Amino acid sequence: MKKKFLSLSFKQILSIVIPLAIIAIYATFSTFFILNMVLEQNVAEKAQWANDQVQYETKIAFETPSIGVNSLADSIKNDPSTDNISFLLKVFANNYPQCVEFFFGRNGQKSFITNDDWVAPKDFDYLNSQWYTGAREQGALSLRPSPCPCPEAC
């Protein structure tokens, strides 16, 4: 009888093929499991983003800045420091993106603060601007319904 090179019995073939098949199946299922987790995470992130966008658009459409003015005024009264007011105006502007700018002037102190750290020109007199005189007349914070196109003119 001739000996065949690399001739294997059926049992020997099964003992090699079955473990390789099991490893291949395990690797395939592991890959699908990992891909599924990645896709689910991506879907969850997109769903959260969409939810955030809906909340943002709803807030812009239905919640006017006047709702938050009282709490802004209370927060300023609790801590009237320039750093706190600057921080509060930035937060307020972030929460109400439909508003362009927020200005805060202290009565007679020539202290002028904005949400975007705008530096007024030397000759700028906010004490005669519409937003300031309106607030002074009301004795409180004042919101103007339309943004001022040029802060120097307001």
Side-chain angles (χ1 to χ4, degrees), residues 30-51:
S30 297
T31 302
F32 284 132
F33 179 74
I34 291 169
L35 286 173
N36 188 40
M37 286 179 23
V38 169
L39 290 174
E40 283 179 4
Q41 179 66 28
N42 193 17
V43 168
E45 288 173 0
K46 287 187 182 210
Q48 182 62 46
W49 177 84
N51 183 42

Side-chain angles (χ1 to χ4, degrees), residues 72-109:
L72 178 63
D74 291 341
S75 298
I76 290 173
K77 286 176 188 172
N78 290 336
D79 182 2
S81 69
T82 300
D83 289 340
N84 183 53
I85 294 169
S86 178
F87 171 76
L88 290 171
L89 292 179
K90 286 176 175 66
V91 169
F92 204 73
N94 191 40
N95 287 330
Y96 298 99
Q98 67 269 41
C99 297
V100 177
E101 293 179 309
F102 292 93
F103 302 95
F104 182 86
R106 296 179 197 258
N107 193 9
Q109 295 181 9

Side-chain angles (χ1 to χ4, degrees), residues 16 25 30 40 44 71 83-84 105 128 133:
I16 294 171
I25 291 170
S30 297
E40 283 179 4
S71 67
D83 289 340
N84 183 53
N128 293 317
T133 55

